[in-house]
Amino acid sequence: MELSMIFTVCSALLLLSSSPSDAKTASPPLLSQSPAPAPAPDFVNLTDLLTVAGPFHTFLSYLQSTKVIDTFQNQANNTEEGVTIFVPKDSAFSAQKKPSLSNLTEDQLKSLMLFHGLPHYYSLAEFRNLSLQNPISTLAGGQYSLNFTDVSGTIHIGSGWTNTKVSSSVHSSDPVAVYQVDRILLPEVIFGTDIPPTPAPAPAPDIAIAPTADAPSADSDGKAAPSSQPKPSSSHRIINWGILIHVVLAISCGFLF
């Protein structure tokens, strides 16, 4: 009897001494959440861009045949510098007669295409400061360089053989800038330094002003020359006298009657 009571009291004490928190299931430790990675930039597909942006089919064909389109695309997608490309219109290639591009080797043609790209993204506003750093190297290499000048906000490009300007912005969003030019950029490294002079503009035609027919002209002594109008002839004078005689006779007859 005494043993059972002692057991009952001990059991009650154990139940009272146990804390309520022990009965709860331990929750797993919270893990710190790492920030989500930044989304990858939307890369510009240069082939698609040049296909639909304008009349650049000839330039795109050269880029594809020389594999330079892959160089430009890699520079845009896989570098932090980006790329700037100067794209001649189709009419620039059809107008290019001398020097001819048909005599170039494969390596020269590839260098010519690379000559139209800069290994950095430049907005139009950045060309003003870029003109102070001339010459600027291109993706073709150190000797293949361009000179830039900013004339009242218009970007002019010089390559020795070529002087042209940026006529429009096709695409300008970091890391890709594509600008339209009206002529092919021809480097001296390929075509030499014997550059033909630029033909001077044709002089304006001289427009002769005919003197007025009725205005009297002055002779060398400053006297006015006689008028070129014809003087009345003797027949006119006879007719005038005849009219005057008839008038006098008519008046005289009036007095008589």
Side-chain angles (χ1 to χ4, degrees):
M1 181 73 179
E2 294 179 357
L3 292 175
S4 60
M5 289 186 63
I6 293 172
F7 179 77
T8 302
V9 171
C10 291
S11 299
L13 291 175
L14 286 173
L15 291 174
L16 293 174
S17 62
S18 62
S19 62
S21 60
D22 293 338
K24 296 180 180 180
T25 304
S27 59
L30 296 176
L31 300 177
S32 60
Q33 296 182 354
S34 59
D42 294 331
F43 293 129
V44 176
N45 188 307
L46 295 177
T47 301
D48 293 343
L49 176 64
L50 297 178
T51 299
V52 301
F56 308 131
H57 303 292
T58 306
F59 183 69
L60 178 59
S61 177
Y62 278 120
L63 291 181
Q64 292 173 329
S65 64
T66 58
K67 308 298 183 183
V68 172
I69 188 68
D70 297 333
T71 303
F72 287 167
Q73 193 71 64
N74 179 72
Q75 180 71 24
N77 296 357
N78 301 323
T79 69
E80 296 180 357
E81 295 296 324
V83 67
T84 299
I85 307 172
F86 302 103
V87 186
K89 300 185 296 183
D90 288 343
S91 58
F93 287 91
S94 59
Q96 182 63 43
K97 304 301 182 183
K98 292 183 180 181
S100 175
L101 305 185
S102 60
N103 298 326
L104 299 182
T105 65
E106 292 184 4
D107 290 340
Q108 288 175 330
L109 190 58
K110 182 175 182 179
S111 296
L112 177 63
M113 295 298 105
L114 290 170
F115 188 57
H116 288 73
L118 302 180
H120 185 79
Y121 166 80
Y122 292 104
S123 65
L124 285 175
E126 292 178 293
F127 280 101
R128 176 172 298 180
N129 294 330
L130 191 66
S131 62
L132 303 177
Q133 306 172 21
N134 287 325
I136 306 301
S137 297
T138 67
L139 283 168
Q143 292 183 335
Y144 291 84
S145 58
L146 294 170
N147 292 308
F148 298 91
T149 53
D150 186 324
V151 180
S152 301
T154 301
I155 309 304
H156 291 254
I157 308 173
S159 68
W161 278 83
T162 305
N163 289 300
T164 186
K165 64 182 179 180
V166 173
S167 54
S168 67
S169 174
V170 179
H171 178 89
S172 182
S173 179
D174 196 3
V176 175
V178 178
Y179 301 115
Q180 176 181 298
V181 292
D182 297 330
R183 298 182 61 189
I184 307 171
L185 304 179
L186 304 177
E188 294 182 358
V189 180
I190 295 177
F191 298 99
T193 57
D194 188 14
I195 303 172
T198 304
D206 295 333
I207 301 176
I209 301 177
T212 306
D214 296 335
S217 58
D219 56 13
S220 59
D221 296 332
K223 299 179 181 179
S227 174
S228 60
Q229 295 180 352
K231 295 181 179 180
S233 63
S234 59
S235 61
H236 290 159
R237 288 196 297 271
I238 295 172
I239 294 174
N240 291 337
W241 278 107
I243 295 174
L244 181 59
I245 292 172
H246 282 85
V247 171
V248 172
L249 290 174
I251 293 173
S252 300
C253 292
F255 285 131
L256 292 176
F257 293 102

Coordinates of all heavy atoms in Angstrom, one line a residue, residues 15-107:
L15 N 5.5 14.2 -14.0 CA 4.7 14.9 -15.0 C 4.6 16.4 -14.8 O 4.6 17.2 -15.8 CB 3.2 14.4 -14.9 CG 3.0 12.9 -15.3 CD1 1.6 12.4 -15.0 CD2 3.3 12.8 -16.8
L16 N 4.7 16.9 -13.5 CA 4.7 18.3 -13.3 C 6.0 19.0 -13.6 O 6.0 20.1 -14.0 CB 4.3 18.5 -11.8 CG 2.9 18.2 -11.4 CD1 2.8 18.3 -9.8 CD2 1.9 19.0 -12.1
S17 N 7.1 18.2 -13.5 CA 8.4 18.8 -13.8 C 8.7 18.9 -15.2 O 9.6 19.7 -15.6 CB 9.5 18.0 -13.0 OG 9.5 16.7 -13.6
S18 N 8.0 18.2 -16.1 CA 8.3 18.2 -17.6 C 7.7 19.5 -18.1 O 6.6 19.8 -17.9 CB 7.7 17.0 -18.2 OG 6.3 16.9 -18.1
S19 N 8.5 20.3 -18.9 CA 8.1 21.6 -19.5 C 7.2 21.4 -20.7 O 7.4 20.4 -21.4 CB 9.3 22.5 -19.8 OG 10.0 21.8 -20.8
P20 N 6.3 22.3 -21.0 CA 5.5 22.1 -22.2 C 6.3 22.2 -23.5 O 5.9 21.6 -24.5 CB 4.5 23.3 -22.1 CG 4.5 23.7 -20.6 CD 5.8 23.4 -20.1
S21 N 7.4 22.9 -23.5 CA 8.2 23.1 -24.7 C 8.8 21.8 -25.1 O 9.1 21.6 -26.3 CB 9.2 24.1 -24.5 OG 10.1 23.8 -23.5
D22 N 9.0 20.8 -24.1 CA 9.6 19.5 -24.5 C 8.7 18.7 -25.3 O 9.1 17.8 -26.0 CB 10.0 18.8 -23.2 CG 11.2 19.5 -22.5 OD1 11.9 20.3 -23.2 OD2 11.3 19.2 -21.3
A23 N 7.4 19.0 -25.2 CA 6.4 18.1 -25.9 C 6.3 18.5 -27.4 O 5.8 17.8 -28.2 CB 5.0 18.2 -25.2
K24 N 6.8 19.7 -27.7 CA 6.7 20.2 -29.0 C 7.8 19.6 -29.9 O 8.9 19.4 -29.4 CB 6.8 21.7 -29.1 CG 5.6 22.4 -28.4 CD 5.7 23.9 -28.5 CE 4.5 24.6 -27.8 NZ 4.6 26.1 -28.0
T25 N 7.5 19.4 -31.1 CA 8.5 18.9 -32.0 C 9.4 20.0 -32.5 O 9.0 21.1 -32.8 CB 7.8 18.2 -33.3 OG1 6.9 17.2 -32.8 CG2 8.9 17.7 -34.2
A26 N 10.7 19.8 -32.4 CA 11.7 20.8 -32.8 C 11.5 21.1 -34.3 O 11.5 20.2 -35.1 CB 13.1 20.4 -32.4
S27 N 11.4 22.4 -34.6 CA 11.3 22.8 -36.0 C 12.7 22.8 -36.7 O 13.7 23.1 -36.0 CB 10.6 24.2 -36.1 OG 11.4 25.1 -35.5
P28 N 12.8 22.5 -38.0 CA 14.1 22.6 -38.6 C 14.6 24.0 -38.7 O 13.9 24.9 -38.8 CB 13.8 22.0 -40.0 CG 12.4 22.3 -40.2 CD 11.7 22.2 -38.9
P29 N 15.9 24.2 -38.7 CA 16.5 25.5 -38.7 C 16.2 26.2 -40.1 O 16.2 25.5 -41.1 CB 18.0 25.2 -38.6 CG 18.2 23.8 -39.0 CD 17.0 23.1 -38.6
L30 N 16.0 27.5 -40.0 CA 15.7 28.3 -41.3 C 17.0 28.5 -42.1 O 18.0 28.8 -41.5 CB 15.1 29.6 -40.9 CG 13.7 29.6 -40.2 CD1 13.3 31.0 -39.8 CD2 12.7 28.9 -41.1
L31 N 16.9 28.2 -43.4 CA 18.0 28.4 -44.2 C 17.9 29.8 -44.9 O 16.9 30.2 -45.4 CB 18.1 27.3 -45.3 CG 18.2 25.9 -44.8 CD1 18.1 24.9 -46.0 CD2 19.5 25.7 -44.0
S32 N 19.0 30.5 -44.9 CA 19.1 31.8 -45.6 C 19.0 31.7 -47.1 O 19.7 30.9 -47.7 CB 20.4 32.6 -45.2 OG 21.5 31.8 -45.7
Q33 N 18.1 32.4 -47.7 CA 17.8 32.3 -49.1 C 18.8 33.2 -49.9 O 18.9 34.4 -49.6 CB 16.4 32.8 -49.4 CG 15.3 31.8 -48.8 CD 13.9 32.2 -49.2 OE1 13.7 33.3 -49.8 NE2 12.9 31.4 -48.9
S34 N 19.5 32.7 -50.9 CA 20.4 33.5 -51.7 C 19.6 34.2 -52.7 O 18.6 33.7 -53.2 CB 21.4 32.5 -52.4 OG 20.8 31.6 -53.2
P35 N 20.1 35.4 -53.1 CA 19.3 36.2 -54.1 C 19.3 35.5 -55.5 O 20.2 34.8 -55.9 CB 20.1 37.5 -54.2 CG 21.5 37.2 -53.7 CD 21.3 36.1 -52.7
A36 N 18.2 35.7 -56.2 CA 18.1 35.1 -57.5 C 19.1 35.7 -58.5 O 19.3 36.9 -58.4 CB 16.6 35.2 -58.0
P37 N 19.6 34.9 -59.3 CA 20.6 35.4 -60.3 C 19.9 36.4 -61.3 O 18.7 36.3 -61.6 CB 21.1 34.2 -61.1 CG 20.0 33.2 -60.9 CD 19.4 33.4 -59.5
A38 N 20.7 37.4 -61.7 CA 20.1 38.4 -62.6 C 19.8 37.8 -64.0 O 20.5 36.9 -64.4 CB 21.2 39.5 -62.8
P39 N 18.7 38.2 -64.6 CA 18.4 37.6 -65.9 C 19.4 37.9 -66.9 O 20.0 39.0 -66.9 CB 17.0 38.2 -66.2 CG 17.0 39.5 -65.4 CD 17.8 39.2 -64.2
A40 N 19.7 37.0 -67.8 CA 20.7 37.2 -68.9 C 20.1 38.2 -69.8 O 18.9 38.3 -70.1 CB 20.9 35.9 -69.6
P41 N 21.0 39.1 -70.4 CA 20.6 40.1 -71.3 C 20.1 39.5 -72.6 O 20.4 38.5 -73.0 CB 21.9 41.0 -71.5 CG 23.0 40.0 -71.2 CD 22.5 39.1 -70.1
D42 N 19.2 40.3 -73.2 CA 18.6 39.8 -74.5 C 19.6 40.2 -75.6 O 19.8 41.4 -75.9 CB 17.3 40.5 -74.8 CG 16.2 40.1 -73.8 OD1 16.3 39.0 -73.3 OD2 15.3 40.9 -73.5
F43 N 20.3 39.2 -76.1 CA 21.3 39.4 -77.1 C 20.7 39.8 -78.5 O 19.6 39.2 -78.8 CB 22.2 38.2 -77.3 CG 23.1 38.0 -76.1 CD1 23.1 36.7 -75.5 CD2 23.8 39.0 -75.5 CE1 23.9 36.5 -74.3 CE2 24.6 38.7 -74.4 CZ 24.6 37.5 -73.8
V44 N 21.3 40.7 -79.2 CA 20.8 41.1 -80.5 C 21.4 40.1 -81.5 O 22.6 39.9 -81.6 CB 21.2 42.5 -80.8 CG1 20.8 42.9 -82.2 CG2 20.6 43.5 -79.8
N45 N 20.5 39.5 -82.3 CA 20.9 38.7 -83.4 C 21.2 39.6 -84.6 O 20.4 40.1 -85.2 CB 19.8 37.7 -83.8 CG 20.3 36.6 -84.8 OD1 20.8 37.0 -85.8 ND2 20.1 35.4 -84.5
L46 N 22.5 39.7 -84.9 CA 23.0 40.6 -85.9 C 22.5 40.3 -87.3 O 22.2 41.1 -88.1 CB 24.5 40.8 -85.9 CG 25.1 41.4 -84.6 CD1 26.6 41.3 -84.7 CD2 24.6 42.8 -84.4
T47 N 22.4 39.0 -87.6 CA 21.9 38.5 -88.9 C 20.5 39.0 -89.1 O 20.1 39.5 -90.1 CB 22.1 37.0 -89.0 OG1 23.4 36.7 -88.9 CG2 21.6 36.6 -90.4
D48 N 19.6 38.7 -88.1 CA 18.2 39.1 -88.2 C 18.1 40.6 -88.3 O 17.3 41.2 -89.1 CB 17.4 38.6 -87.0 CG 17.3 37.1 -87.0 OD1 17.6 36.5 -88.0 OD2 17.0 36.6 -85.9
L49 N 18.9 41.4 -87.5 CA 18.8 42.8 -87.5 C 19.2 43.4 -88.9 O 18.5 44.2 -89.4 CB 19.8 43.4 -86.4 CG 19.9 44.9 -86.4 CD1 18.5 45.5 -86.0 CD2 21.0 45.3 -85.4
L50 N 20.3 42.9 -89.5 CA 20.7 43.5 -90.7 C 19.8 43.0 -91.9 O 19.8 43.7 -92.9 CB 22.2 43.1 -91.0 CG 23.2 43.7 -90.0 CD1 24.6 43.1 -90.4 CD2 23.2 45.2 -90.0
T51 N 19.1 41.9 -91.7 CA 18.2 41.4 -92.7 C 17.0 42.3 -92.9 O 16.5 42.6 -94.0 CB 17.8 40.0 -92.4 OG1 18.9 39.2 -92.4 CG2 16.8 39.5 -93.5
V52 N 16.4 42.8 -91.7 CA 15.2 43.5 -91.8 C 15.4 45.0 -91.6 O 14.4 45.8 -91.8 CB 14.2 43.0 -90.7 CG1 14.0 41.5 -90.9 CG2 14.8 43.2 -89.3
A53 N 16.5 45.5 -91.1 CA 16.7 46.9 -90.7 C 16.8 47.8 -91.9 O 16.5 49.0 -91.8 CB 17.9 47.1 -89.8
G54 N 17.3 47.4 -93.0 CA 17.5 48.3 -94.2 C 18.1 47.6 -95.3 O 18.3 46.4 -95.4
P55 N 18.6 48.4 -96.3 CA 19.2 47.8 -97.5 C 20.6 47.4 -97.3 O 21.5 48.1 -97.8 CB 19.0 48.9 -98.6 CG 19.1 50.2 -97.7 CD 18.4 49.8 -96.4
F56 N 20.9 46.4 -96.5 CA 22.2 46.0 -96.1 C 22.6 44.6 -96.6 O 23.4 43.9 -95.9 CB 22.4 46.1 -94.6 CG 22.0 47.4 -94.0 CD1 21.2 47.5 -92.9 CD2 22.5 48.6 -94.5 CE1 20.8 48.7 -92.3 CE2 22.1 49.9 -94.0 CZ 21.3 49.9 -92.9
H57 N 21.9 44.1 -97.6 CA 22.0 42.7 -98.0 C 23.5 42.4 -98.5 O 24.0 41.3 -98.2 CB 21.0 42.4 -99.1 CG 19.6 42.6 -98.6 ND1 19.0 41.9 -97.6 CD2 18.7 43.6 -99.0 CE1 17.8 42.4 -97.4 NE2 17.5 43.4 -98.3
T58 N 24.1 43.4 -99.2 CA 25.4 43.1 -99.8 C 26.4 43.0 -98.6 O 27.3 42.1 -98.6 CB 25.8 44.2 -100.7 OG1 24.8 44.3 -101.8 CG2 27.2 43.9 -101.4
F59 N 26.3 44.0 -97.7 CA 27.3 43.9 -96.5 C 27.1 42.7 -95.7 O 28.1 42.0 -95.3 CB 27.0 45.2 -95.7 CG 28.0 45.3 -94.5 CD1 29.3 45.6 -94.7 CD2 27.5 45.2 -93.2 CE1 30.2 45.7 -93.7 CE2 28.4 45.3 -92.2 CZ 29.7 45.6 -92.4
L60 N 25.8 42.3 -95.5 CA 25.6 41.0 -94.7 C 26.1 39.8 -95.4 O 26.6 38.9 -94.8 CB 24.1 40.9 -94.5 CG 23.6 39.6 -93.7 CD1 24.3 39.5 -92.4 CD2 22.1 39.6 -93.6
S61 N 26.0 39.8 -96.8 CA 26.5 38.7 -97.5 C 28.0 38.6 -97.4 O 28.6 37.5 -97.2 CB 26.2 38.9 -99.0 OG 26.7 37.8 -99.8
Y62 N 28.7 39.7 -97.4 CA 30.2 39.7 -97.2 C 30.5 39.2 -95.7 O 31.5 38.5 -95.5 CB 30.8 41.1 -97.4 CG 31.0 41.4 -98.9 CD1 30.4 42.5 -99.5 CD2 32.0 40.7 -99.6 CE1 30.7 42.8 -100.8 CE2 32.2 41.0 -100.9 CZ 31.6 42.0 -101.5 OH 31.8 42.3 -102.9
L63 N 29.7 39.7 -94.8 CA 30.0 39.3 -93.4 C 29.8 37.8 -93.2 O 30.6 37.1 -92.5 CB 29.0 40.0 -92.4 CG 29.2 41.5 -92.3 CD1 28.1 42.0 -91.3 CD2 30.6 41.9 -91.8
Q64 N 28.9 37.2 -93.9 CA 28.6 35.8 -93.7 C 29.7 35.0 -94.5 O 30.1 33.9 -94.0 CB 27.2 35.4 -94.2 CG 26.1 36.0 -93.4 CD 24.7 35.8 -93.9 OE1 24.6 35.8 -95.2 NE2 23.7 35.7 -93.1
S65 N 30.1 35.4 -95.7 CA 31.0 34.6 -96.5 C 32.4 34.7 -95.8 O 33.2 33.7 -95.9 CB 31.1 35.2 -97.9 OG 31.6 36.5 -97.9
T66 N 32.8 35.7 -95.1 CA 34.1 35.9 -94.4 C 34.0 35.4 -93.0 O 35.1 35.4 -92.3 CB 34.6 37.3 -94.5 OG1 33.6 38.1 -93.8 CG2 34.8 37.8 -95.9
K67 N 32.8 35.0 -92.5 CA 32.7 34.6 -91.1 C 32.9 35.8 -90.1 O 32.9 35.5 -88.9 CB 33.6 33.4 -90.7 CG 33.5 32.2 -91.6 CD 32.2 31.6 -91.7 CE 32.2 30.4 -92.6 NZ 30.8 29.8 -92.7
V68 N 32.9 37.0 -90.6 CA 33.1 38.1 -89.7 C 31.8 38.3 -88.9 O 31.9 38.9 -87.8 CB 33.5 39.4 -90.5 CG1 33.5 40.6 -89.6 CG2 34.8 39.2 -91.1
I69 N 30.7 37.9 -89.4 CA 29.4 38.0 -88.6 C 29.6 37.3 -87.3 O 29.0 37.7 -86.2 CB 28.2 37.5 -89.4 CG1 26.9 37.8 -88.7 CG2 28.4 36.0 -89.7 CD1 26.6 39.3 -88.6
D70 N 30.3 36.2 -87.2 CA 30.5 35.4 -86.0 C 31.4 36.2 -85.0 O 31.2 36.2 -83.8 CB 31.2 34.1 -86.3 CG 30.3 33.2 -87.1 OD1 29.0 33.4 -87.1 OD2 30.8 32.3 -87.9
T71 N 32.4 36.9 -85.6 CA 33.3 37.7 -84.8 C 32.5 38.9 -84.1 O 32.7 39.2 -82.9 CB 34.5 38.3 -85.6 OG1 35.2 37.2 -86.2 CG2 35.4 39.1 -84.7
F72 N 31.7 39.5 -84.9 CA 30.9 40.6 -84.4 C 29.9 40.1 -83.3 O 29.7 40.8 -82.3 CB 30.1 41.3 -85.5 CG 30.9 42.2 -86.4 CD1 30.4 42.6 -87.6 CD2 32.2 42.5 -86.0 CE1 31.2 43.5 -88.4 CE2 33.0 43.3 -86.9 CZ 32.5 43.8 -88.1
Q73 N 29.3 39.0 -83.6 CA 28.3 38.4 -82.6 C 29.0 38.0 -81.3 O 28.4 38.2 -80.2 CB 27.6 37.2 -83.3 CG 26.3 36.8 -82.5 CD 25.2 37.7 -82.7 OE1 24.7 38.0 -83.8 NE2 24.8 38.3 -81.6
N74 N 30.1 37.4 -81.4 CA 30.8 37.0 -80.2 C 31.3 38.2 -79.4 O 31.2 38.2 -78.2 CB 32.1 36.2 -80.6 CG 32.9 35.8 -79.4 OD1 32.5 34.9 -78.6 ND2 34.1 36.4 -79.2
Q75 N 31.7 39.3 -80.1 CA 32.1 40.5 -79.4 C 30.9 41.1 -78.7 O 31.1 41.7 -77.6 CB 32.7 41.5 -80.4 CG 33.1 42.9 -79.9 CD 34.4 42.7 -79.0 OE1 35.2 41.8 -79.2 NE2 34.6 43.7 -78.1
A76 N 29.7 41.0 -79.2 CA 28.5 41.6 -78.6 C 28.0 40.7 -77.4 O 27.7 41.2 -76.4 CB 27.4 41.7 -79.7
N77 N 28.1 39.4 -77.6 CA 27.5 38.5 -76.6 C 28.4 38.1 -75.4 O 28.0 38.0 -74.3 CB 27.0 37.2 -77.2 CG 25.9 37.5 -78.3 OD1 25.5 38.6 -78.4 ND2 25.5 36.4 -78.9
N78 N 29.7 38.0 -75.7 CA 30.6 37.4 -74.8 C 31.7 38.3 -74.2 O 32.7 37.8 -73.7 CB 31.3 36.1 -75.4 CG 30.2 35.1 -75.9 OD1 29.2 34.9 -75.2 ND2 30.5 34.5 -77.0
T79 N 31.6 39.6 -74.4 CA 32.6 40.5 -73.9 C 31.8 41.6 -73.2 O 30.6 41.8 -73.4 CB 33.5 41.1 -75.0 OG1 32.7 42.0 -75.8 CG2 34.1 40.1 -75.9
E80 N 32.5 42.3 -72.3 CA 31.9 43.4 -71.5 C 32.0 44.7 -72.3 O 31.4 45.7 -71.9 CB 32.6 43.6 -70.2 CG 32.4 42.4 -69.2 CD 33.1 42.6 -67.9 OE1 33.7 43.6 -67.7 OE2 32.9 41.7 -67.0
E81 N 32.8 44.7 -73.4 CA 33.0 45.9 -74.2 C 31.8 46.2 -75.2 O 31.5 47.4 -75.4 CB 34.3 45.8 -74.9 CG 35.5 45.8 -74.0 CD 35.7 47.0 -73.2 OE1 35.4 48.1 -73.7 OE2 36.1 46.9 -72.1
G82 N 31.3 45.2 -75.7 CA 30.3 45.4 -76.7 C 30.9 45.6 -78.1 O 32.1 45.4 -78.3
V83 N 30.1 46.1 -79.1 CA 30.6 46.3 -80.4 C 29.8 47.4 -81.1 O 28.7 47.7 -80.8 CB 30.4 45.0 -81.2 CG1 28.9 44.7 -81.5 CG2 31.1 45.1 -82.6
T84 N 30.6 48.2 -81.9 CA 30.0 49.2 -82.8 C 30.3 48.9 -84.2 O 31.4 48.6 -84.6 CB 30.6 50.6 -82.4 OG1 30.3 50.9 -81.0 CG2 30.0 51.7 -83.3
I85 N 29.2 48.9 -85.1 CA 29.4 48.4 -86.5 C 28.9 49.6 -87.4 O 27.8 50.1 -87.1 CB 28.6 47.2 -86.7 CG1 29.0 46.1 -85.7 CG2 28.8 46.7 -88.2 CD1 28.1 44.8 -85.8
F86 N 29.7 49.9 -88.4 CA 29.3 50.8 -89.4 C 28.9 50.1 -90.7 O 29.7 49.3 -91.3 CB 30.5 51.8 -89.7 CG 30.9 52.5 -88.5 CD1 32.1 52.2 -87.9 CD2 30.2 53.6 -88.0 CE1 32.5 52.8 -86.7 CE2 30.6 54.3 -86.8 CZ 31.8 53.9 -86.2
V87 N 27.6 50.2 -91.1 CA 27.0 49.4 -92.1 C 26.8 50.2 -93.4 O 26.0 51.1 -93.4 CB 25.7 48.8 -91.7 CG1 25.2 47.8 -92.7 CG2 25.9 48.1 -90.3
P88 N 27.5 50.0 -94.5 CA 27.2 50.7 -95.8 C 25.9 50.1 -96.4 O 25.6 48.9 -96.3 CB 28.5 50.4 -96.6 CG 29.5 49.8 -95.7 CD 28.7 49.1 -94.6
K89 N 25.2 51.0 -97.1 CA 24.0 50.6 -97.8 C 24.4 49.8 -99.1 O 25.5 49.8 -99.5 CB 23.2 51.8 -98.2 CG 22.7 52.6 -97.0 CD 21.8 53.8 -97.4 CE 22.5 54.8 -98.3 NZ 21.7 55.9 -98.7
D90 N 23.4 49.1 -99.6 CA 23.7 48.4 -100.9 C 24.1 49.3 -102.0 O 25.0 49.0 -102.8 CB 22.4 47.7 -101.3 CG 22.1 46.5 -100.4 OD1 23.0 46.0 -99.7 OD2 20.9 46.0 -100.4
S91 N 23.6 50.5 -102.0 CA 23.9 51.5 -103.1 C 25.4 51.9 -103.0 O 26.0 52.2 -104.0 CB 23.1 52.7 -103.0 OG 23.2 53.4 -101.7
A92 N 26.0 51.8 -101.8 CA 27.4 52.1 -101.6 C 28.3 51.1 -102.4 O 29.3 51.4 -103.0 CB 27.8 52.2 -100.2
F93 N 27.9 49.8 -102.3 CA 28.7 48.8 -103.0 C 28.5 48.9 -104.5 O 29.4 48.7 -105.3 CB 28.2 47.4 -102.5 CG 28.7 47.1 -101.1 CD1 27.9 47.4 -100.0 CD2 29.9 46.5 -100.9 CE1 28.4 47.1 -98.8 CE2 30.4 46.2 -99.7 CZ 29.6 46.5 -98.6
S94 N 27.3 49.2 -105.0 CA 27.0 49.3 -106.4 C 27.7 50.6 -107.0 O 28.1 50.6 -108.2 CB 25.5 49.4 -106.7 OG 24.9 50.5 -106.1
A95 N 28.0 51.6 -106.2 CA 28.6 52.8 -106.6 C 30.2 52.7 -106.5 O 30.9 53.5 -107.1 CB 28.2 54.0 -105.8
Q96 N 30.7 51.6 -105.9 CA 32.1 51.5 -105.7 C 32.7 50.9 -107.0 O 32.6 49.7 -107.2 CB 32.4 50.6 -104.5 CG 33.9 50.4 -104.1 CD 34.6 51.7 -103.8 OE1 34.0 52.6 -103.1 NE2 35.7 52.0 -104.3
K97 N 33.4 51.7 -107.8 CA 34.0 51.2 -109.0 C 35.5 51.1 -108.9 O 36.1 50.1 -109.2 CB 33.7 52.2 -110.1 CG 32.2 52.4 -110.3 CD 31.4 51.1 -110.7 CE 30.0 51.4 -110.9 NZ 29.2 50.2 -111.1
K98 N 36.2 52.2 -108.4 CA 37.6 52.2 -108.2 C 37.9 52.7 -106.8 O 37.4 53.8 -106.4 CB 38.3 53.1 -109.3 CG 38.2 52.5 -110.7 CD 39.0 53.4 -111.6 CE 38.9 52.9 -113.1 NZ 39.7 53.7 -114.0
P99 N 38.7 52.0 -106.1 CA 39.3 50.6 -106.4 C 38.2 49.6 -106.2 O 37.2 49.7 -105.5 CB 40.3 50.5 -105.3 CG 39.9 51.3 -104.1 CD 39.2 52.5 -104.7
S100 N 38.3 48.5 -107.0 CA 37.4 47.4 -107.0 C 37.6 46.5 -105.9 O 38.7 46.2 -105.5 CB 37.4 46.7 -108.4 OG 36.5 45.6 -108.4
L101 N 36.5 45.9 -105.4 CA 36.6 44.9 -104.3 C 36.8 43.5 -104.9 O 37.1 42.6 -104.1 CB 35.4 44.9 -103.4 CG 35.0 46.3 -102.8 CD1 33.8 46.1 -101.9 CD2 36.1 46.9 -102.0
S102 N 36.6 43.3 -106.2 CA 36.6 42.0 -106.8 C 38.1 41.5 -106.8 O 38.3 40.2 -107.0 CB 36.0 42.0 -108.2 OG 36.8 42.9 -109.0
N103 N 39.1 42.3 -106.7 CA 40.5 41.9 -106.8 C 41.1 41.6 -105.4 O 42.3 41.2 -105.4 CB 41.3 43.0 -107.5 CG 40.9 43.3 -108.9 OD1 40.4 42.3 -109.6 ND2 41.0 44.5 -109.3
L104 N 40.3 41.7 -104.4 CA 40.8 41.4 -103.0 C 40.9 39.9 -102.8 O 40.1 39.1 -103.2 CB 39.9 42.1 -102.0 CG 39.8 43.6 -102.0 CD1 38.9 44.1 -100.9 CD2 41.1 44.3 -102.0
T105 N 42.0 39.6 -102.0 CA 42.1 38.2 -101.5 C 41.1 37.9 -100.4 O 40.5 38.9 -99.9 CB 43.5 37.9 -101.0 OG1 43.8 38.7 -99.8 CG2 44.5 38.2 -102.1
E106 N 41.0 36.7 -100.0 CA 40.0 36.3 -98.9 C 40.4 37.0 -97.6 O 39.6 37.5 -96.9 CB 40.0 34.8 -98.7 CG 39.3 34.0 -99.9 CD 39.2 32.6 -99.6 OE1 39.6 32.1 -98.4 OE2 38.8 31.8 -100.4
D107 N 41.7 37.0 -97.3 CA 42.2 37.7 -96.1 C 42.0 39.2 -96.1 O 41.6 39.8 -95.1 CB 43.7 37.4 -95.9 CG 44.0 36.0 -95.5 OD1 43.0 35.3 -95.1 OD2 45.1 35.5 -95.7

